[in-house]
Amino acid sequence: AQKVTQAQTEISVVEKEDVTLDCVYETRDTTYYLFWYKQPPSGELVFLIRRNSFDEQNEISGRYSWNFQKSTSSFNFTITASQVVDSAVYFCALSEASRAGYGKLTFGQGTILTVHP
Amino acid sequence: DAGVIQSPRHEVTEMGQEVTLRCKPISGHDYLFWYRQTMMRGLELLIYFNNNVPIDDSGMPEDRFSAKMPNASFSTLKIQPSEPRDSAVYFCASSSKGTGGNQPQHFGDGTRLSIL
């Protein structure tokens, strides 16, 4: 069965610090997809990024970057120069490409990030 | 473009009452998902549909829960009778099949349900 673990329950940083959110996953499928979602205090879930299992290139989008390493089954998320508006719960999720698992998202427990001014 | 629309945003009702949550997916999306979020269990997939057909309902907690998708633009999640432990935030999400594999799911704002 697929599983996503976000070991950090809560992280607190001061504005402008860099912060990395860890995500470790388990799956038996060779083809799968990894996602990060953000849930701000207002409660909605906002899609941030999708990565497929064949693409291990790191990705950078503004202050956000993602490090995908199949060898360690990890898909970590770094926010550079954090801002108060980054305060949210961040979820890592996994979806398998097999017929049984297609489209189904398994979420980690989430990491609560608080950025202090 | 309109996102996933859920109604109501908040629902407070008494134990034993029937509760109906509604969802309008993004036009053109052929997958629809219902999730429940609680502090204890996090985000759980309850059921999902493909082209209006239920594909996997293994996450539905018990027979008190039912979901329907009568057409491509509307789905309901019903709880009858409701119990206090059903209190949670219920999210609806939709995605397209697209090409290149599993597409991201886009979520509605959720329905915060409180059963007294």
Side-chain angles (χ1 to χ4, degrees):
Chain A
Q2 55 190 22
K3 184 180 179 182
V4 177
T5 302
Q6 294 178 252
Q8 304 149 309
T9 304
E10 291 191 53
I11 300 176
S12 183
V13 299
V14 177
E15 210 168 19
K16 297 185 183 177
E17 284 186 35
D18 298 347
V19 57
T20 295
L21 310 181
D22 298 333
C23 173
V24 175
Y25 62 91
E26 297 175 26
T27 177
R28 293 178 181 171
D29 274 21
T30 56
T31 303
Y32 52 88
Y33 298 83
L34 296 163
F35 303 80
W36 276 94
Y37 283 83
K38 173 182 179 180
Q39 187 172 38
S42 49
E44 71 272 24
L45 279 157
V46 179
F47 164 71
L48 295 178
I49 190 172
R50 179 188 77 143
R51 173 68 65 200
N52 73 52
S53 53
F54 298 120
D55 184 1
E56 288 194 69
Q57 284 191 347
N58 292 335
E59 180 157 341
I60 298 175
S61 176
R63 296 185 296 108
Y64 295 171
S65 63
W66 290 269
N67 182 1
F68 174 35
Q69 292 193 334
K70 283 182 78 170
S71 60
T72 55
S73 297
S74 65
F75 186 41
N76 296 337
F77 174 28
T78 297
I79 301 174
T80 302
S82 60
Q83 299 176 2
V84 173
V85 293
D86 296 326
S87 296
V89 184
Y90 290 86
F91 291 95
C92 181
L94 167 71
S95 182
E96 295 171 338
S98 63
R99 179 180 294 274
Y102 188 88
K104 294 169 63 172
L105 277 176
T106 297
F107 284 88
Q109 284 299 102
T111 297
I112 302 170
L113 173 64
T114 303
V115 182
H116 299 281
Chain B
D1 290 341
V4 175
I5 300 172
Q6 291 186 245
S7 65
R9 289 297 310 276
H10 303 272
E11 175 87 12
V12 181
T13 192
E14 291 189 349
M15 174 179 173
Q17 295 298 307
E18 178 179 291
V19 174
T20 300
L21 310 182
R22 296 172 177 81
C23 175
K24 177 179 168 57
I26 293 172
S27 178
H29 281 190
D30 43 17
Y31 284 86
L32 184 140
F33 306 82
W34 283 101
Y35 292 87
R36 179 171 68 176
Q37 185 177 31
T38 61
M39 288 295 294
M40 290 296 294
R41 301 175 67 90
L43 274 158
E44 305 173 275
L45 176 65
L46 301 177
I47 185 171
Y48 80 97
F49 296 82
N50 178 217
N51 292 324
N52 313 338
V53 176
I55 303 300
D56 186 340
D57 65 355
S58 59
M60 296 286 262
E62 46 197 277
D63 292 346
R64 298 184 297 106
F65 286 69
S66 63
K68 294 182 179 179
M69 192 165 185
N71 58 63
S73 59
F74 184 65
S75 177
T76 59
L77 178 67
K78 189 170 293 187
I79 308 172
Q80 166 64 19
S82 57
E83 296 182 3
R85 60 194 167 119
D86 302 330
S87 298
V89 180
Y90 290 81
F91 286 101
C92 176
S94 70
S95 70
S96 60
K97 183 173 179 65
T99 58
N102 299 12
Q103 297 300 308
Q105 295 177 22
H106 298 273
F107 285 75
D109 288 341
T111 295
R112 185 173 294 276
L113 178 63
S114 296
I115 309 296
L116 307 177

